[in-house]
Amino acid sequence: MITSSENNNNNDINDNDNQINNTSDKKIPTLLSLAKIWLTEWTELEKKRRIGANLSRLYFTFAKALESVRNSKDEDIKTLKDLGKLKGIGNFILGKITKRLEEYQSKTGQIIIENLEVNISVNKPKNNNNNNNNNKPKRKVKKKKEYVPAFRSGSYAILVALYDYTSSSSKSDSMLEPFLTKAEIIRYGQPYCSSSFTVPVNGTHFTAWSSMKELIRRELVGKMGSPPKYFLTDEGVELAKRLVEVTDKLNPLNTSEVINEN
């Protein structure tokens, strides 16, 4: 059974393709221009699917890819391989663009990329020496220790501030925004932190804000736009939620349940 929302989404897709077709009589669109249109469409679609202020990871995935496409030039993107080199465009997005391109070329008769199958195969990882790999003894993989920031550390304060002001159910949807700027994180996070976000620790250049780099590296916090805005990833939301729940249960004089940073 197809719901009305699915029908609306399909209509949006057809409208976008028709819009391309109307302009294509004069000029054949470039791969980059098509990618820009489709990524915009997918980003807006994920934005409509938000629940309150909670945007899906797909929204940020599409938005980052769209930002890269907008900052690129047509002359630099001639093949799918070129497109796959852009920051934020991995196999998932490249696969969606390839599928959409196949449909577009079949529908319009316009050839944007010749030999699509050859172009696609360039981006597939090669699986050589499978037999040799199977004969090798399997090495034990150490279970990765979960990262949990220390209580009232910079990382802790950043995660809690982002959660409190972008995802917390204690605030109404009208008060929540999916992003925070650096200034907002510092303002909201300072009460949760024992060290300063602006004044370096004695003899160093480090402040509580320095922890942001580690949170981004661990993919708990995402960063996009210029000036940059920060958001919690799905994993970041889960960790921040647990930190808040554990802290609420703790006696202020007993922080033994909080694990130190590793």
Side-chain angles (χ1 to χ4, degrees):
M1 179 178 179
I2 300 178
T3 64
S4 60
S5 61
E6 289 174 329
N7 280 327
N8 290 336
N9 293 339
N10 290 331
N11 290 336
D12 290 342
I13 291 172
N14 292 330
D15 289 343
N16 284 335
D17 286 340
N18 290 333
Q19 183 181 1
I20 298 170
N21 293 337
N22 291 335
T23 58
S24 61
D25 294 336
K26 299 179 181 179
K27 184 179 179 182
I28 296 178
T30 63
L31 175 61
L32 192 67
S33 65
L34 290 173
K36 189 184 301 181
I37 290 171
W38 295 331
L39 283 167
T40 300
E41 172 193 313
W42 297 329
T43 301
E44 290 302 314
L45 186 60
E46 287 300 318
K47 192 173 184 179
K48 291 177 182 177
R49 288 174 175 168
R50 64 189 287 173
I51 302 174
N54 296 321
L55 294 168
S56 70
R57 170 172 275 194
L58 269 181
Y59 169 82
F60 298 109
T61 300
F62 291 140
K64 288 176 71 175
L66 178 59
E67 186 177 18
S68 291
V69 167
R70 284 173 172 167
N71 292 330
S72 301
K73 298 179 180 179
D74 284 318
E75 55 265 29
D76 297 329
I77 308 298
K78 299 296 184 182
T79 66
L80 290 169
K81 186 177 180 181
D82 294 334
L83 194 63
K85 292 178 181 178
L86 296 182
K87 186 177 180 181
I89 297 185
N91 290 333
F92 169 71
I93 289 182
L94 200 60
K96 283 183 68 68
I97 291 176
T98 301
K99 182 179 178 181
R100 193 66 178 274
L101 184 59
E102 287 176 331
E103 295 171 352
Y104 176 81
Q105 292 190 160
S106 176
K107 182 177 179 180
T108 65
Q110 295 178 341
I111 304 302
I112 311 301
I113 298 290
E114 295 184 356
N115 301 321
L116 260 181
E117 292 184 0
V118 175
N119 271 273
I120 298 169
S121 65
V122 171
N123 295 284
K124 290 183 178 179
K126 296 180 180 180
N127 293 320
N128 296 329
N129 303 322
N130 284 336
N131 293 332
N132 294 335
N133 290 335
N134 291 334
N135 295 329
K136 292 181 180 180
K138 293 183 178 180
R139 186 174 59 182
K140 289 185 178 180
V141 179
K142 291 184 179 179
K143 188 176 180 180
K144 190 176 180 180
K145 193 173 181 181
E146 184 181 12
Y147 170 82
V148 182
F151 181 60
R152 294 189 62 79
S153 64
S155 295
Y156 171 91
I158 291 170
L159 289 172
V160 172
L162 277 169
Y163 178 77
D164 195 29
Y165 284 89
T166 66
S167 305
S168 177
S169 58
S170 66
K171 290 180 171 59
S172 66
D173 292 345
S174 62
M175 295 174 62
L176 295 171
E177 291 294 336
F179 308 100
L180 286 182
T181 63
K182 177 179 179 179
E184 289 170 333
I185 293 174
I186 290 175
R187 182 164 71 250
Y188 300 145
Q190 190 60 72
Y192 297 112
C193 191
S194 298
S195 58
S196 173
F197 271 89
T198 55
V199 180
V201 177
N202 291 339
T204 73
H205 298 289
F206 295 101
T207 65
W209 179 255
S210 302
S211 303
M212 178 60 83
K213 184 176 181 181
E214 178 68 7
L215 293 175
I216 293 175
R217 186 185 73 81
R218 291 180 179 271
E219 297 185 346
L220 296 169
V221 174
K223 172 185 174 182
M224 67 180 297
S226 181
K229 293 183 178 181
Y230 302 86
F231 59 91
L232 289 176
T233 64
D234 292 346
E235 289 83 356
V237 170
E238 289 303 312
L239 176 56
K241 182 179 179 181
R242 284 167 40 216
L243 290 175
V244 171
E245 290 173 348
V246 170
T247 304
D248 287 343
K249 293 177 183 178
L250 287 176
N251 182 305
L253 299 178
N254 179 16
T255 60
S256 60
E257 288 185 46
V258 182
I259 306 172
N260 288 333
E261 295 184 43
N262 297 312

